[in-house]
Amino acid sequence: MAKKDRIWELDAFRGLCILGVIIVHTIYDLQMFGMISYETPTLFNIIRDYGGLLFIIMSGICVTLGHRNLKRGIIVFGCGMIITAVTYGMYLLELANEYILIHFGILHLLGICMIFYALYKHLPTLSIAIIGVVIILMTFVVRDIRTDTFWTVPFGILCNGYVASDYFPIIPNLGWFMIGTVLGRCIYKNKQTLFPKFPAKALPVRFLSFCGRHSLWIYMGHQPIIYAIVYALYSFSNK
């Protein structure tokens, strides 16, 4: 959507989510280098474990408001593959252990979901809701299955010994994305803000909205910067 037509609360909430991602990754890097304890407050654990779910649902809402979702999905998935290549490079250069590897993270998932949206966007809203719920419930079928093949990992069927620092399988997360599209159709069917009288031009809101509009590029750039800073601090403190 053009900037003047964007719904500020969606941008702001997405911006809040991406700032949460930055905090979580910063804590993760500090823990990985042994600079802080692995014991974290309950609130942080909730944000870490369920923040991604909010991001997925929010993306499902936003996909109903934009255009060129197929093209954007390809771009997002491509960015996910770049992150995969970078994490493998770090592992091969012995800059990190195998836990840093990302095979099917949040960007891979969102890219696939955006691409898949082109296949079901003309379905009735109720049908999308039902399919979404079915995909979510399929988690109870696949979660305990283990295989010896790696290619089932994107679908939520893990291979033996699988580890990853960022993992968002299609099952159940495509279902949550579809629930987001249902919410987008129902709540934002007029494609207008729900809070027209809110002071959306206030500096904190504008900052969050800016982060939300550029969340993909912030996601792509923040981790190398944070990792480099933490690595430098670790190296300096161990001299």
Side-chain angles (χ1 to χ4, degrees):
M1 300 175 69
K3 184 177 178 180
K4 64 182 179 62
D5 298 324
R6 295 182 70 93
I7 298 174
W8 72 265
E9 64 263 28
L10 296 180
D11 282 338
F13 189 79
R14 190 164 55 241
L16 184 63
C17 287
I18 197 64
L19 293 181
V21 169
I22 292 173
I23 293 172
V24 168
H25 284 173
T26 301
I27 299 297
Y28 175 83
D29 288 348
L30 291 171
Q31 290 173 332
M32 186 171 62
F33 282 99
M35 300 178 70
I36 63 173
S37 170
Y38 276 92
E39 296 183 4
T40 50
T42 301
L43 178 60
F44 172 83
N45 295 336
I46 293 174
I47 295 173
R48 179 196 62 199
D49 296 339
Y50 298 102
L53 178 60
L54 293 177
F55 214 112
I56 293 166
I57 295 174
M58 180 63 59
S59 297
I61 293 174
C62 293
V63 80
T64 66
L65 303 171
H67 304 285
R68 300 189 299 273
N69 290 307
L70 179 60
K71 177 181 178 180
R72 182 165 177 80
I74 293 172
I75 292 173
V76 172
F77 184 82
C79 288
M81 294 305 297
I82 291 173
I83 290 179
T84 296
V86 170
T87 58
Y88 264 94
M90 294 173 64
Y91 173 68
L92 294 175
L93 293 172
E94 299 184 349
L95 296 175
N97 57 31
E98 61 182 352
Y99 291 96
I100 197 68
L101 298 176
I102 297 176
H103 307 97
F104 200 84
I106 187 69
L107 293 188
H108 301 81
L109 170 74
L110 293 180
I112 291 295
C113 288
M114 292 175 188
I115 294 170
F116 190 70
Y117 176 71
L119 301 178
Y120 71 82
K121 65 179 181 179
H122 297 298
L123 290 177
T125 301
L126 180 59
S127 298
I128 296 174
I130 293 173
I131 295 172
V133 171
V134 169
I135 293 174
I136 293 170
L137 292 177
M138 286 176 64
T139 305
F140 298 100
V141 177
V142 305
R143 65 181 179 181
D144 295 324
I145 299 176
R146 295 294 180 270
T147 68
D148 294 323
T149 176
F150 175 79
W151 302 109
T152 61
V153 168
F155 300 98
I157 302 175
L158 296 180
C159 55
N160 295 311
Y162 180 75
V163 293
S165 62
D166 185 37
Y167 178 52
F168 286 85
I170 293 173
I171 300 173
N173 292 302
L174 174 59
W176 289 116
F177 186 90
M178 296 179 77
I179 295 299
T181 64
V182 172
L183 293 176
R185 287 187 177 189
C186 296
I187 300 175
Y188 290 101
K189 59 183 178 180
N190 295 324
K191 298 188 177 183
Q192 296 177 349
T193 177
L194 303 179
F195 309 97
K197 296 183 179 180
F198 191 89
K201 293 185 178 181
L203 184 59
V205 180
R206 287 168 55 195
F207 172 73
L208 290 176
S209 297
F210 175 84
C211 293
R213 291 195 302 271
H214 301 88
S215 58
L216 174 61
W217 310 118
I218 293 174
Y219 188 93
M220 291 290 292
H222 82 280
Q223 182 66 318
I225 295 172
I226 292 173
Y227 187 91
I229 293 173
V230 173
Y231 184 78
L233 291 173
Y234 172 80
S235 300
F236 179 79
S237 63
N238 283 276
K239 284 186 178 181

